[in-house]
Amino acid sequence: MEDSSQSRVMLWTLPSSFASSFVNWIGHQSPQGAPKVQIVINPYATAHDVGPERVRLPDDVNKETVDKWNQLHEDPNGNDGLYRKPIKDTDCSFKFAKDLLEQEFSDKKVVFCSDLSYGISGRFDMLPAGYLHSFLIRNPYKTLLSWRNLMQKCLGMDKDSFSVLVGDALYPVLDGYKKCWELIEHLQSQGNKVVVVDSDDIQQDPGAILTKYCILVGITFPESRLHWDVGNESMRDWISGRSLLSQDGDNDDTFVESTSLPPFQPAPKRHDVPFDILAYIDASMPYYLKMHAMRIH
């Protein structure tokens, strides 16, 4: 049972949508003057991708892409997760994710979980109790281009070869905006408050937007810090699924080495975006615009 003085917040998002930077900022704050933030990363996405109830890819997805994708989720050092408290694949059912988030965490003032919206799609019965739900969105031109470039690099394919498989490789984000919107609609139908924040707004005015966000989700920081030290000791309690583990088994550089939020960059122009993702961007845009209209600003 959660402490009534404790704030519990879900941040739902998509891959390549600024979540790593956002979580890093939250995790390095100190409510009530002490490092009392419990960070949990992607328990539902882990259940969806690599847990015992994992959702299988469609049969028509290219086998080479699937094999390479699976290799990216394997850690040669035998570790099962990032940071000091990993989530093991064999444990991470959807119920495990829900039970994990509903733990007391009695020594924490804030429990903050960032997860990918596709991970809970079709399993709304497994949403955790006691949480306020927020959504981090990003312009589809940025998200899909970023994820495309990352997957092309990770899969080790040239531009032309990757273009043939782009729909398979991008499967986590292809309908991610739709899944975010469906989750928002479900939460609102149940009378839940929903808070939406856009990464562009954060990067352009971090002090104002993050202050508004914290007020709306009920998080109190004595002093909001936009800069922090490398390797903050508060990371020792972070909990994460193995799907975020890098190939060499080390912590992700975004978390370990960054000391501030990245600067704003404008979205690419349409003529600068590879043609093979334009249809996916166009399909995502209506859902993005609906959420964008709800955002903090």
Side-chain angles (χ1 to χ4, degrees), residues 195-198 200-202 205 208-210 212-213 216 291-297:
V195 175
V196 179
V197 62
D198 192 303
D200 281 353
D201 294 328
I202 294 173
D205 193 357
I209 298 299
L210 292 173
K212 291 180 181 179
Y213 175 85
L216 289 171
M291 293 183 285
H292 186 261
M294 301 171 59
R295 80 196 192 284
I296 300 168
H297 60 281

Side-chain angles (χ1 to χ4, degrees), residues 99-127:
D99 290 345
L100 169 65
L101 292 173
E102 291 178 354
Q103 289 182 35
E104 288 190 11
F105 297 111
S106 57
D107 62 332
K108 305 297 183 183
K109 290 295 182 182
V110 175
V111 182
F112 189 89
C113 176
S114 172
D115 213 325
L116 304 174
S117 57
Y118 74 80
I120 196 67
S121 180
R123 299 303 304 266
F124 292 160
D125 59 313
M126 289 289 112
L127 284 165

Side-chain angles (χ1 to χ4, degrees), residues 10-13 42-49 55 93-95 97-98 101 115-128 133 135 176 179-184 186-187:
M10 292 294 304
L11 181 74
W12 298 102
T13 188
N42 290 0
Y44 289 106
T46 300
H48 179 284
D49 290 347
V55 177
S93 64
F94 288 98
K95 185 177 186 304
K98 175 179 168 66
L101 292 173
D115 213 325
L116 304 174
S117 57
Y118 74 80
I120 196 67
S121 180
R123 299 303 304 266
F124 292 160
D125 59 313
M126 289 289 112
L127 284 165
H133 295 269
F135 290 78
K179 292 184 186 301
C180 270
W181 181 248
E182 289 173 344
L183 179 53
I184 287 176
H186 170 77
L187 291 167

Side-chain angles (χ1 to χ4, degrees), residues 137 177-178 180-182 184-185 188 196 284-295:
I137 60 173
Y177 289 89
K178 179 182 178 182
C180 270
W181 181 248
E182 289 173 344
I184 287 176
E185 288 189 310
Q188 290 183 325
V196 179
S284 299
M285 191 61 73
Y287 297 102
Y288 168 72
L289 293 176
K290 288 181 182 181
M291 293 183 285
H292 186 261
M294 301 171 59
R295 80 196 192 284

Side-chain angles (χ1 to χ4, degrees), residues 48-175:
H48 179 284
D49 290 347
V50 292
E53 302 172 287
R54 61 186 174 274
V55 177
R56 303 292 180 177
L57 292 177
D59 291 339
D60 60 349
V61 170
N62 180 275
K63 185 178 184 302
E64 181 182 6
T65 303
V66 174
D67 289 343
K68 288 184 177 181
W69 176 266
N70 289 336
Q71 290 172 13
L72 295 177
H73 287 77
E74 294 175 357
D75 173 25
N77 294 332
N79 297 323
D80 289 305
L82 281 175
Y83 319 114
R84 312 325 194 252
K85 296 186 177 181
I87 300 172
K88 293 186 177 180
D89 301 351
T90 52
D91 293 337
C92 198
S93 64
F94 288 98
K95 185 177 186 304
F96 177 92
K98 175 179 168 66
D99 290 345
L100 169 65
L101 292 173
E102 291 178 354
Q103 289 182 35
E104 288 190 11
F105 297 111
S106 57
D107 62 332
K108 305 297 183 183
K109 290 295 182 182
V110 175
V111 182
F112 189 89
C113 176
S114 172
D115 213 325
L116 304 174
S117 57
Y118 74 80
I120 196 67
S121 180
R123 299 303 304 266
F124 292 160
D125 59 313
M126 289 289 112
L127 284 165
Y131 280 76
L132 189 148
H133 295 269
S134 63
F135 290 78
L136 175 64
I137 60 173
R138 191 185 189 200
N139 188 313
Y141 277 92
K142 292 184 175 183
T143 291
L144 271 81
L145 180 59
S146 173
W147 189 251
R148 185 202 185 284
N149 291 342
L150 175 62
M151 286 298 96
Q152 181 180 340
K153 178 181 178 181
C154 288
L155 295 175
M157 303 176 74
D158 61 45
K159 182 178 178 180
D160 292 337
S161 298
F162 184 80
S163 183
V164 175
L165 303 175
V166 67
D168 299 338
L170 294 178
Y171 87 93
V173 297
L174 290 187
D175 60 351

Side-chain angles (χ1 to χ4, degrees), residues 16-27:
S16 294
S17 291
F18 193 72
S20 295
S21 297
F22 195 101
V23 169
N24 212 10
W25 176 79
I26 287 283

